[in-house]
Amino acid sequence: MKNTQIYYARMDEFWRKEEKLTYLEKIEHIGNVEWQEIKPDKNHIWLTVGLEDDFETFIALGSQETKSAKGNVSDCLFKIYSRGVVTSRDVWAYNFKFDEVSVNIEKIINNYNAQVIKWTQKKDNSVKVDDFVSYDDTQINWSRDLKLDLQRGKLADFSPAKIRTSLYRPFTCLFLFFDRILNEEVYVFPSIFPNSETEAENLVICFNGIGSEKPFTSTISDKIVNLSFIGGGTAYQCFPFYTYDEDGTNRKENITDWALEQYRTHYQDSTITKWDIFHYTYSLLHHPDYRERYAANLKRELPRIPFAPQFQPFVTAGKRLAEIHINYEQQPEYRLKHIENKDLPIDWQVEKMRLSKDKTEIKYNDFLTLTGIPTEVFEYRLGNRSALDWIIDQYQVSTDKRSGITNDPNRLDDEEYIVRLIKQVITVSLETVKIVKNLPDLGLPKD
């Protein structure tokens, strides 16, 4: 095998089926294919098209080695990071309404605990768990880890304190029952946001992880983040500023002392703080030149952060981006024109909104249409959708066919919330686009 040679050829990924078949007919047999010999790089990657070598020279955001290290660490910006939370039963564990989460989770806990008791009391030890549990989608939603907990005899318990606010999708906060048994994987989040009090001081920079098919996206949160933040099979990675013990004590800064020294030395500025580095990183991950040049690298590994020619402009931009992305509900409302159907009573309730083909207006409901949406709004994208598209997609009444559970975003105590949110997200989108367009040059090598 030492003398093995591997040859590779590819078709354009944007070709249609007919174009591919035409090409195959033209070459007739494999001897006419223009093969290219390929060899792996030092990371054992064979397909290196699009990978930029200088990416390796930047500071790593994090690594598994640093994450598992004890004591002093170096070579990375952050010590600890985590995937977003995965429940394997989102319909049950998430909801726009606190009371609905309570009812749904108490129902599933009662059914789960009853089956745990039956399992521990069974006489026949040859019975397999898959044959033992009761499959009723209106009562419980089983998953691999929940069955393992059943086999271990672990009982679940309900507490209102476990219902936390969570950033489920872009600009969409839901109530989450945060629990090791009823969530499939909580990863490191019990040490990132162990209680609601830590949400007032901690922040996490998040982005879609290795192998994502979606465009690189970065966001920031002061709440627990969902694993599939931008949907699909994309696993969101989260890098916190602070970490804690799981009881909320022993707060520690998560940016390494080594990284702080690197930045102070490089920029010859002893006043640089870890918060400065945090905000610098957040704005740099939005830079269009960085995202475009290193698109292939970002699909292969965690981001690496270069030293830009200027430091403080990125810090300033990062602080502002963080402020408007976290506090989006406090931003000014963009002025949209209201077109109201005078034949119908005033109605602020949403069923399912629709964006017009020219993307200038939203049909909110039969009573109200919002018009005057600027085209620049759609330049701020998170994955394959703009921020406004995410609002239209998420803020609708939905009923799960299997469980019968309904999720309703309308607020009876704040009927105009969704209309207000639309206008605020437009403001956030426009300012984000402006900030990103005005980021300084990164000083990257020219091709």
Side-chain angles (χ1 to χ4, degrees):
M1 295 294 291
K2 290 184 178 179
N3 296 322
T4 298
Q5 293 174 299
I6 295 180
Y7 293 87
Y8 174 74
R10 65 186 290 272
M11 296 182 188
D12 192 314
E13 61 264 35
F14 296 108
W15 277 3
R16 300 177 63 84
K17 175 183 176 181
E18 295 77 11
E19 292 174 296
K20 295 176 182 178
L21 291 174
T22 299
Y23 172 75
L24 292 174
E25 288 178 0
K26 180 180 178 181
I27 62 174
E28 294 183 339
H29 57 82
I30 62 172
N32 292 329
V33 175
E34 295 183 6
W35 297 103
Q36 178 184 1
E37 184 180 1
I38 59 173
K39 296 180 180 180
D41 63 14
K42 64 180 183 178
N43 295 320
H44 311 291
I45 296 173
W46 287 86
L47 301 179
T48 58
V49 176
L51 297 180
E52 299 291 343
D53 292 338
D54 62 319
F55 193 74
E56 292 291 325
T57 66
F58 305 152
I59 297 178
L61 208 62
S63 72
Q64 286 293 340
E65 293 76 19
T66 300
K67 189 177 179 181
S68 61
K70 295 181 179 180
N72 294 327
V73 293
S74 61
D75 299 333
C76 289
L77 280 178
F78 292 86
K79 302 172 191 174
I80 301 297
Y81 60 96
S82 175
R83 284 185 168 195
V85 169
V86 54
T87 71
S88 289
R89 52 192 59 81
D90 284 5
V91 170
W92 295 86
Y94 284 99
N95 204 285
F96 281 105
K97 307 284 196 299
F98 184 99
D99 290 344
E100 290 295 323
V101 174
S102 300
V103 170
N104 295 334
I105 286 297
E106 287 194 84
K107 183 177 183 179
I108 206 171
I109 286 175
N110 290 336
N111 283 284
Y112 166 76
N113 285 345
Q115 295 196 52
V116 170
I117 293 170
K118 287 181 181 179
W119 176 265
T120 58
Q121 294 175 346
K122 73 183 190 311
K123 306 285 187 182
D124 186 356
N125 291 328
S126 66
V127 177
K128 295 181 180 179
V129 67
D130 288 337
D131 298 325
F132 175 84
V133 298
S134 173
Y135 294 96
D136 183 347
D137 291 333
T138 66
Q139 301 297 318
I140 194 168
N141 182 5
W142 290 103
S143 60
R144 182 200 61 183
D145 282 8
L146 193 60
K147 290 176 183 177
L148 289 173
D149 286 334
L150 178 142
Q151 291 174 280
R152 296 172 184 133
K154 289 186 177 181
L155 293 171
D157 68 282
F158 175 82
S159 168
K162 291 184 178 181
I163 299 180
R164 304 280 300 280
T165 53
S166 172
L167 193 62
Y168 183 67
R169 296 290 183 266
F171 303 102
T172 307
C173 285
L174 303 183
F175 290 104
L176 162 68
F177 187 76
F178 186 48
D179 176 74
R180 289 189 184 276
I181 293 180
L182 273 299
N183 300 158
E184 192 79 349
E185 297 288 352
V186 295
Y187 297 110
V188 189
F189 265 93
S191 297
I192 297 175
F193 292 116
N195 53 47
S196 57
E197 287 74 22
T198 56
E199 295 170 8
E201 61 184 13
N202 203 11
L203 297 177
V204 288
I205 293 174
C206 312
F207 49 83
N208 43 326
I210 298 168
S212 173
E213 295 180 356
K214 297 179 185 268
F216 181 82
T217 296
S218 181
T219 191
I220 197 165
S221 178
D222 58 353
K223 300 174 179 63
I224 299 165
V225 179
N226 182 265
L227 177 78
S228 299
F229 180 71
I230 55 173
T234 301
Y236 239 57
Q237 301 283 354
C238 307
F239 288 72
F241 187 84
Y242 292 120
T243 60
Y244 307 79
D245 289 346
E246 292 192 12
D247 63 357
T249 62
N250 194 27
R251 189 185 77 178
K252 295 179 181 178
E253 293 177 335
N254 192 38
I255 290 179
T256 64
D257 293 337
W258 174 86
L260 179 62
E261 184 60 31
Q262 297 299 307
Y263 275 84
R264 287 179 172 179
T265 300
H266 181 85
Y267 291 106
Q268 294 295 293
D269 184 352
S270 61
T271 66
I272 289 175
T273 68
K274 290 183 179 180
W275 274 114
D276 289 337
I277 296 171
F278 188 84
H279 289 121
Y280 170 92
T281 300
Y282 188 55
S283 62
L284 192 140
L285 291 175
H286 281 78
H287 203 294
D289 292 347
Y290 177 83
R291 291 186 175 187
E292 181 179 353
R293 179 178 176 86
Y294 302 112
N297 298 81
L298 293 168
K299 290 182 182 295
R300 295 284 189 178
E301 61 179 299
L302 295 174
R304 290 175 171 270
I305 308 301
F307 290 119
Q310 302 178 71
F311 180 73
Q312 285 301 329
F314 281 93
V315 174
T316 301
K319 285 181 179 178
R320 183 55 184 164
L321 286 172
E323 180 182 357
I324 62 176
H325 292 168
I326 293 165
N327 302 308
Y328 60 90
E329 293 173 307
Q330 283 75 54
Q331 301 310 304
E333 299 174 41
Y334 185 83
R335 285 194 173 186
L336 294 177
K337 182 179 179 182
H338 288 212
I339 300 177
E340 300 176 355
N341 186 341
K342 302 300 183 183
D343 296 329
L344 295 174
I346 295 173
D347 183 9
W348 302 106
Q349 298 295 297
V350 157
E351 286 290 333
K352 182 177 176 62
M353 294 180 281
R354 287 178 173 80
L355 185 66
S356 64
K357 288 185 178 180
D358 63 3
K359 296 187 174 184
T360 61
E361 63 182 36
I362 295 171
K363 184 177 181 182
Y364 185 83
N365 58 22
D366 290 340
F367 165 74
L368 178 64
T369 296
L370 302 171
T371 188
I373 301 170
T375 57
E376 296 85 359
V377 163
F378 300 96
E379 295 180 31
Y380 176 40
R381 302 182 68 79
L382 298 107
N384 293 328
R385 290 180 175 141
S386 71
L388 186 58
D389 286 321
W390 278 111
I391 298 299
I392 295 169
D393 177 76
Q394 292 296 305
Y395 282 81
Q396 60 176 288
V397 179
S398 62
T399 300
D400 181 62
K401 292 180 180 179
R402 291 187 173 184
S403 65
I405 293 173
T406 295
N407 200 4
D408 185 348
N410 293 292
R411 301 185 179 186
L412 296 179
D413 61 341
D414 187 2
E415 292 185 329
E416 297 183 45
Y417 171 78
I418 299 175
V419 170
R420 189 167 66 249
L421 176 65
I422 290 169
K423 298 174 181 179
Q424 289 166 330
V425 168
I426 289 175
T427 296
V428 170
S429 299
L430 293 174
E431 185 166 355
T432 298
V433 170
K434 182 179 179 181
I435 292 171
V436 169
K437 284 183 176 179
N438 286 295
L439 288 172
D441 184 72
L442 278 178
L444 299 174
K446 304 297 181 182
D447 293 330

